[in-house]
Amino acid sequence: MQMLNKLSLVIISQNEEAALEQCLQSCASLVDEIVIVDSGSTDSTQEIALKYKARFFHQNWLGFGAQKNHAVNLAKNDWVLCLDADEYLSQELALEIRQELENPRAKAYQLVRCNKFIGRFLRHGAGYPDRSIRLFNRQFANWSNDLVHEKVEVNFGVILLLKHDYLHNSGEDFNKYLHKQDRYTTTQALKMFEMKKPVRLSKLFFSPFIHFTKYYLIKRGFMDGVPGFIHVVLGSINSFQKYAKLYVLYQQSSK
């Protein structure tokens, strides 16, 4: 079945040899080109990319939003599918995308991400359903320029939600996961500092408890067993850390 609209897979990368091949395999029969923008890999990321005939570019790190925008702008096609290197399509979603692009009903599509964490796909808590726009026509949408927690902003047109999941190996390398969370909280704190957001004791004290209550109890993170418990607790720690780091930034700036 031939799609009427050609599709580019767009990825940003750095040292993704452990996950990249699964991502590229899941999209190989769906996309017409693969664009990878790398920020300085020292492993075999580039070799894996070239194995799949990807167009491989180097770009020093610009922040998540700007890096993804740069990558999207390098694509040859207007329709782009943006995935992280540790994400991959289910067969059902790949077929759904193929069918949708024969006659698109929207300018952008939300996809549902299911996170695999310490060997288990999380179906509750903060991990699911994790909806975000990943498939879009770049004439009508693009990434925000946020340093972290970037999102696709649609300038015009309908946004629809696709039915099937794409999958994310979020915590299979646990040390890498912890390092990434530390990076996220640092970037969040810097962003809040630049926006001159105040540090309140109430945020430092209550935000971890609110996060835990919402995602472990109300959204039933307990249904995901021990991995679900660890995932929610780490999220609660992140809520505390970003405000603690913001407090330290204000203390350092006052010296």
Side-chain angles (χ1 to χ4, degrees):
M1 190 181 298
Q2 181 69 35
M3 289 190 302
L4 297 181
N5 294 281
K6 292 185 176 182
L7 180 64
S8 298
L9 173 63
V10 177
I11 299 171
I12 62 171
S13 66
Q14 186 184 49
N15 292 332
E16 300 291 356
E17 65 179 8
L20 182 60
E21 186 148 16
Q22 186 175 31
C23 176
L24 299 182
Q25 278 182 343
S26 74
C27 301
S29 63
L30 176 67
V31 302
D32 298 278
E33 72 159 348
I34 298 169
V35 176
I36 298 179
V37 173
D38 189 82
S39 54
S41 291
T42 56
D43 62 3
S44 61
T45 294
Q46 183 170 3
E47 287 79 2
I48 295 169
L50 296 180
K51 174 182 172 182
Y52 286 83
K53 299 181 180 178
R55 298 169 61 218
F56 192 88
F57 303 91
H58 175 79
Q59 172 62 54
N60 292 334
W61 185 244
L62 302 170
F64 282 97
Q67 194 84 353
K68 289 183 178 181
N69 268 329
H70 176 67
V72 165
N73 290 336
L74 291 170
K76 294 179 179 178
N77 303 312
D78 285 337
W79 278 100
V80 295
L81 172 65
C82 295
L83 294 179
D84 293 341
D86 58 359
E87 298 171 341
Y88 58 101
L89 302 183
S90 64
Q91 291 182 354
E92 295 82 2
L93 179 58
L95 178 59
E96 187 178 11
I97 291 173
R98 178 181 293 278
Q99 292 171 340
E100 188 64 36
L101 288 187
E102 290 175 22
N103 186 23
R105 298 171 295 153
K107 302 302 183 186
Y109 293 87
Q110 281 189 324
L111 309 183
V112 177
R113 183 169 73 170
C114 184
N115 295 292
K116 188 177 184 182
F117 185 76
I118 318 180
R120 179 166 181 162
F121 286 107
L122 303 182
R123 300 284 180 180
H124 306 87
Y128 193 85
D130 187 1
R131 299 186 183 98
S132 62
I133 298 171
R134 294 301 192 91
L135 173 67
F136 58 92
N137 187 318
R138 65 178 182 179
Q139 296 296 320
F140 302 95
N142 217 323
W143 291 96
S144 66
N145 281 316
D146 296 310
L147 293 175
V148 69
H149 293 321
E150 70 290 353
K151 59 186 179 297
V152 174
E153 298 175 330
V154 180
N155 302 318
F156 174 80
V158 175
I159 303 170
L160 293 180
L161 174 67
L162 294 186
K163 177 181 177 182
H164 295 97
D165 294 347
Y166 70 108
L167 308 168
H168 178 215
N169 289 322
S170 59
E172 299 314 287
D173 185 333
F174 193 64
N175 288 330
K176 184 177 178 180
Y177 178 84
L178 293 177
H179 177 70
K180 185 182 292 186
Q181 298 308 303
D182 182 54
R183 247 191 331 141
Y184 282 162
T185 55
T186 297
T187 305
Q188 286 177 308
L190 286 168
K191 183 178 178 180
M192 290 190 293
F193 180 73
E194 290 170 359
M195 296 172 65
K196 295 183 168 52
K197 286 198 172 183
V199 183
R200 294 189 176 91
L201 180 60
S202 59
K203 287 288 188 181
L204 275 166
F205 186 79
F206 288 113
S207 64
F209 297 102
I210 292 171
H211 183 96
F212 186 85
T213 300
K214 178 180 179 180
Y215 292 112
Y216 194 70
L217 300 177
I218 298 174
K219 294 203 169 184
R220 300 186 300 164
F222 60 85
M223 297 287 289
D224 289 320
V226 174
F229 175 75
I230 294 172
H231 188 263
V232 174
V233 169
L234 289 177
S236 302
I237 293 170
N238 289 345
S239 294
F240 172 79
Q241 282 190 330
K242 68 181 180 183
Y243 290 109
K245 290 177 180 181
L246 178 60
Y247 175 80
V248 170
L249 287 171
Y250 276 116
Q251 291 297 107
Q252 291 173 342
S253 68
S254 65
K255 292 181 180 179

